[in-house]
Amino acid sequence: MKLRDASGKALKAQLLALPYAQGATPSQPWMDTTLGADERTRLLLGEMTQDEKFQMLRSYFGLGKDGGPLPEGAVGSAGFVPGVARLGIPAQQSADAGVGVTNPGGIRKGDFATAMPSGPSTASSWNPLIAYVGGATMGREAWQQRFNILLGGSVNLQRDPRNGRNFEYAGEDPLLGGVIVGESIRGIQSQHVISTMKHYALNDMETRRNFHSVQIGDQAMHESDLLAFEIAIELGKPGSAMCSYNKINGIYGCEHPYLMNQVLKQEWKFPGFVMSDWGGVHSGSKAALAGLDQQSAGEVFDATTFFDQPLRLAVAGGTVPQARLDDMVSRILRTMFLHGNFDNPPQHQPIDVEAGYAAAQRTVEEGSVLLRNEGNLLPLADSVKRIVIIGGHADKGVIGGGGSSMVGVTAKGTNAVPGVMPTTWPGPVIFHPSSPLEALRAERPDAQITYVDGRNPAAAARAAAQADVALVFATQWSAESVDLPDMQLPDQQDALISAVAKANPKTVVVLETNGPVRTPWLAQVPALLQAWYPGIRGGEGIAALLTGKVNPSGRLPVTWVVDESQLPRPHVPGLGFNPKQPAVDIFDFDIEGANVGYKWAAAKGLVPTFAFGHGLSYSSFAYENLQVSVEGQRVVASVDVRNTGARAGADVAQLYLKLPQGHTTPIRLVGFDKVNLQPGEQRRIRIEAEPKTLADFDPTAREWKIAAGTYQLQLGRNAAEPLQVVDVQLQDTVIR
């Protein structure tokens, strides 16, 4: 059916205005909820016209083109696909959701969302439940704002701390990152909302992301970034994968038949659909044949809407088979059936503010990392009566990252510190209204707590000299589409910290950063807390940790290198907002290959400032009686863990495999478990290694293979300092 005449136009308006399914009828057997998603899809596809099929293959920018009106039927989001009311097909309303459901400009009066802590904060919890609850919070709030697709599930590895988008991701390790993001996806989809998994693949730097090519070998790719995606798929079962902007070995991510068709859809048997990133499509038939199923907002972000007229002509001429078109539509419909878009359409409902706050604060409390605590300066003792808080706009709020993931409207309002540059894309710079100053005052009403803005280091030092303890808050803003020029704290904050520490030997530094930074003042500062971007309850969470109301249990998901000299690419031309050199268009990841982060440090004999997995507690823990059993690809370690301190707390038992010569990586995280214990409590825990972390990927045989030999299992609190070791004999095994 083609809508050409006046009556057809009226019908089209009705279709757009009625985006959600109205229930089953005898003439719509695909609405029978007793049928499986595959059968429902088959029945529905058989009733669709060619025009209706093509309608499913491209989304519109849900905020309107060039500031114009919203597409009819859109609720205001990153992507909108009109529904087909004739067939009961609901509209697709896609919202950005890296660290919470974005609400672009408050399209619907009164709407807001929970600004969640950043991805490294969630990863630092080493707690899959934290990730699941955070995902469920975002999914629930999306559903309550009439979104049925969330553009979350960010699992790109941190290969460089200067990557401007690290705050959306889950660290450097494929096992930890895959588990954390997989659980977040699973949480989102528990709320009848489809989650993406992105950015597929190797979108690990932002500089010239629409043009640069990543160079990396097949084996190294599979043993690093692709393994993280594979684990996230196995755990989270995302409904959609989003292909990336960049090229991989010279081929655009959204035109990459090897990555999309062979690896994702054939070898991993991914049943969902692949959507493009916004501005990531460069062709019609080429992209469709390579495995792309849906173009995102091409009328705004791409050179043309490739999946409209160009793809129609390709199908009509036989360049793209009708079977491929039907497969594209089927993947989308099946995903919508499977995740409740038809049967549990979202409804505009009030957001549960307290539930969102609870999820955000628990993430801050478990995900902030106590990196240093000499002399047990923390938690702040009751005898500490004069406290000065310095810098970081800590009197107003906590900083967040920029770009499409920015949650601009929260229950507490918008920006606590407006006017910080840049104020345009990828800004504005946002400080979420959660004041560490006010939160600490609430926790310590007996203390005199003052604030100094830190703009004048000398004045800050004078204030610090009069206090029992000085707390310096340092911030580093980063954003999508641009990388940081270096690892240095901006705005002369290093000088501020040094001046304060010289004036008061009891100085605590709280970092709110995208990732690791240089710490030239570290020897002067007895206590250091990494709070990442802590979200809408950041102030409250930080105060709870500093006062000991909560015992820190976060562990680093990244290696904290001393400076850029310890990176695989110490100098990268063209980074930052105003680069002094032309930017590169080739990122040679073959330099490190699969040796990302702590593996690179081990391979090169580097000693970082803080090792991957490092983190302190206000308690202490002992490990005894490590035992390991091996049966084929099943390697299981068990150990007694005891809390030897005076406080209840949690420790993260980390299991590493040290590999003999001849393997691509010298050491790998193979399993972990976070255990909560009361003072004096002992528990025996069991950690089963992820089989693929024991194996090497064979790109010729397309298999993961464990090579026979003597390996060393290391149990520790970080990647560099094993507590107990056991030699194990592994046999030649193919992972099934």
Side-chain angles (χ1 to χ4, degrees):
M1 180 183 69
K2 293 187 178 180
L3 307 178
R4 292 177 176 172
D5 56 17
S7 62
K9 291 180 181 178
L11 176 57
K12 183 176 181 180
Q14 292 174 358
L15 301 186
L16 292 172
L18 185 61
Y20 294 110
Q22 300 300 305
T25 66
S27 62
Q28 295 183 337
W30 52 86
M31 298 303 293
D32 183 351
T33 58
T34 66
L35 300 176
D38 289 327
E39 178 63 10
R40 296 176 74 178
T41 299
R42 186 188 67 81
L43 291 168
L44 176 53
L45 185 70
E47 293 297 318
M48 295 181 72
T49 67
Q50 195 79 333
D51 283 346
E52 289 166 343
K53 291 176 182 179
F54 272 101
Q55 184 171 306
M56 304 293 292
L57 304 184
R58 49 81 60 98
S59 66
Y60 297 86
F61 188 42
L63 295 174
K65 184 177 181 179
D66 300 327
L70 273 62
E72 191 172 358
V75 297
S77 63
F80 167 69
V81 179
V84 183
R86 179 182 78 86
L87 301 173
I89 301 176
Q92 298 167 53
Q93 312 271 6
S94 302
D96 286 302
V99 289
V101 183
T102 62
N103 186 309
I107 297 296
R108 295 169 305 285
K109 187 176 180 180
D111 274 1
F112 57 86
T114 300
M116 296 295 293
S118 63
S121 181
T122 302
S124 292
S125 74
W126 290 63
N127 187 344
L129 180 60
I130 289 291
Y132 178 86
V133 171
T137 299
M138 291 189 289
R140 181 181 66 251
E141 293 184 357
W143 193 90
Q144 291 169 335
Q145 294 185 63
R146 295 188 68 196
F147 302 130
N148 55 11
I149 300 176
L150 274 188
L151 309 177
S154 302
V155 73
N156 298 92
L157 295 188
Q158 177 175 313
R159 288 177 177 265
D160 193 310
R162 294 166 294 191
N163 176 22
R165 215 169 179 180
N166 282 335
F167 71 91
E168 292 187 42
Y169 303 149
E172 71 189 26
D173 183 75
L175 175 61
L176 177 62
V179 167
I180 292 297
V181 175
E183 287 297 310
S184 175
I185 291 169
R186 201 168 67 86
I188 289 170
Q189 295 189 156
S190 72
Q191 304 299 305
H192 308 300
V193 173
I194 296 167
S195 176
T196 64
M197 174 194 70
K198 65 182 187 182
H199 307 89
Y200 186 75
L202 291 131
N203 188 177
D204 299 341
M205 296 295 286
E206 290 293 288
T207 297
R208 285 182 61 81
R209 62 183 182 177
N210 295 82
F211 305 98
H212 80 241
S213 180
V214 168
Q215 304 300 114
I216 188 169
D218 199 11
Q219 180 177 359
M221 187 192 318
H222 273 83
E223 292 179 5
S224 55
D225 293 63
L226 292 190
L227 180 56
F229 281 107
E230 188 174 5
I231 292 171
I233 287 176
E234 290 173 355
L235 285 175
K237 297 178 172 56
S240 178
M242 182 191 294
C243 53
S244 59
Y245 290 120
N246 56 289
K247 299 174 184 177
I248 303 93
N249 296 323
I251 303 172
Y252 279 112
C254 293
E255 293 181 348
H256 213 295
Y258 173 69
L259 286 176
M260 290 192 292
N261 279 338
Q262 182 174 335
V263 175
L264 182 66
K265 292 182 176 180
Q266 295 174 20
E267 296 178 354
W268 294 352
K269 297 178 171 57
F270 177 67
F273 68 100
V274 179
M275 70 168 68
S276 72
D277 206 338
W278 275 234
V281 181
H282 303 271
S283 63
S285 59
K286 183 178 181 180
L289 292 172
L292 181 63
D293 299 305
Q294 187 181 76
Q295 181 181 10
S296 304
E299 84 285 2
V300 173
F301 293 92
D302 294 318
T304 189
T305 308
F306 292 103
F307 275 24
D308 192 5
Q309 285 303 119
L311 187 58
R312 287 175 183 266
L313 291 172
V315 172
T319 303
V320 174
Q322 181 67 36
R324 171 62 186 130
L325 177 70
D326 289 347
D327 174 62
M328 296 161 77
V329 178
S330 295
R331 286 176 174 273
I332 296 168
L333 292 175
R334 182 187 181 276
T335 301
M336 296 175 71
F337 277 123
L338 193 63
H339 295 288
N341 286 185
F342 281 82
D343 307 323
N344 295 280
Q347 301 173 15
H348 197 190
Q349 295 180 354
I351 300 296
D352 187 337
V353 177
E354 293 304 319
Y357 282 176
Q361 185 163 341
R362 185 177 174 190
T363 305
V364 176
E365 292 171 351
E366 286 209 33
S368 297
V369 185
L370 183 62
L371 295 172
R372 181 174 167 87
N373 194 24
E374 296 299 305
N376 295 320
L377 179 56
L378 294 177
L380 297 172
D382 291 341
S383 59
V384 174
K385 299 298 184 183
R386 295 174 302 167
I387 302 171
V388 61
I389 294 179
I390 299 168
H393 296 288
D395 58 328
K396 300 293 185 182
V398 292
I399 201 168
S404 61
S405 67
M406 178 181 63
V407 179
V409 184
T410 71
K412 287 186 176 182
T414 54
N415 196 350
V417 189
V420 178
M421 298 298 288
T423 56
T424 57
W425 174 265
V429 177
I430 288 282
F431 280 80
H432 297 298
S434 176
S435 165
L437 171 66
E438 296 305 323
L440 194 59
R441 283 174 172 169
E443 292 290 344
R444 288 293 308 273
D446 59 314
Q448 177 187 346
I449 305 176
T450 56
Y451 175 75
V452 177
D453 64 25
R455 295 177 184 175
N456 184 326
R462 288 193 295 271
Q466 302 302 313
D468 297 327
V469 170
L471 306 176
V472 183
F473 282 73
T475 63
Q476 172 207 56
W477 184 74
S478 73
E480 177 185 357
S481 79
V482 62
D483 291 318
L484 293 164
D486 51 46
M487 290 179 60
Q488 185 172 356
L489 285 171
D491 304 322
Q492 300 183 316
Q493 292 177 96
D494 288 330
L496 170 65
I497 294 170
S498 294
V500 170
K502 184 176 181 180
N504 189 330
K506 293 186 176 180
T507 292
V508 179
V509 173
V510 179
L511 293 175
E512 299 169 21
T513 66
N514 176 56
V517 295
R518 300 180 209 163
T519 55
W521 33 260
L522 188 62
Q524 304 170 261
V525 172
L528 174 61
L529 180 71
Q530 170 59 283
W532 312 103
Y533 294 158
I536 194 59
R537 293 289 281 184
E540 290 81 0
I542 291 169
L545 290 162
L546 294 176
T547 59
K549 183 178 180 180
V550 171
N551 194 345
S553 63
R555 304 293 183 262
L556 285 177
V558 294
T559 301
W560 198 289
V561 296
V562 173
D563 55 31
E564 296 87 339
S565 69
Q566 292 189 327
L567 298 174
R569 286 161 294 281
H571 174 67
V572 179
L575 302 187
F577 272 103
N578 298 298
K580 297 179 181 179
Q581 296 177 294
V584 298
D585 278 338
I586 298 290
F587 282 95
D588 185 2
F589 288 175
D590 278 322
I591 294 172
E592 73 273 29
N595 279 327
V596 180
Y598 66 92
K599 300 168 187 175
W600 173 258
K604 297 298 180 180
L606 303 174
V607 179
T609 303
F610 301 109
F612 173 85
H614 170 75
L616 304 176
S617 168
Y618 297 148
S619 194
S620 56
F621 301 87
Y623 290 80
E624 297 175 336
N625 303 319
L626 174 64
Q627 295 181 341
V628 177
S629 64
V630 179
E631 184 179 338
Q633 67 185 45
R634 291 189 73 243
V635 176
V636 180
S638 58
V639 67
D640 294 324
V641 188
R642 182 163 48 94
N643 184 341
T644 58
R647 292 172 178 262
D651 202 16
V652 179
Q654 302 165 34
L655 191 66
Y656 295 90
L657 184 74
K658 186 176 181 181
L659 294 92
Q661 291 290 331
H663 292 266
T664 52
T665 52
I667 188 172
R668 298 171 186 164
L669 178 73
V670 299
F672 60 91
D673 187 24
K674 189 169 193 175
V675 56
N676 288 275
L677 298 170
Q678 295 297 313
E681 182 183 1
Q682 178 173 302
R683 189 181 309 162
R684 190 159 188 82
I685 63 170
R686 177 181 179 277
I687 304 174
E688 182 167 349
E690 159 58 45
K692 289 188 178 70
T693 63
L694 307 172
D696 296 334
F697 182 75
D698 184 336
T700 302
R702 313 304 300 169
E703 292 178 331
W704 289 87
K705 297 179 179 179
I706 299 174
T710 301
Y711 296 74
Q712 186 182 84
L713 274 177
Q714 301 180 347
L715 184 77
R717 292 196 189 93
N718 62 61
E721 300 171 324
L723 298 173
Q724 295 194 29
V725 299
V726 173
D727 285 339
V728 294
Q729 294 293 324
L730 301 181
Q731 304 302 315
D732 285 322
T733 307
V734 176
I735 304 299
R736 301 297 183 190

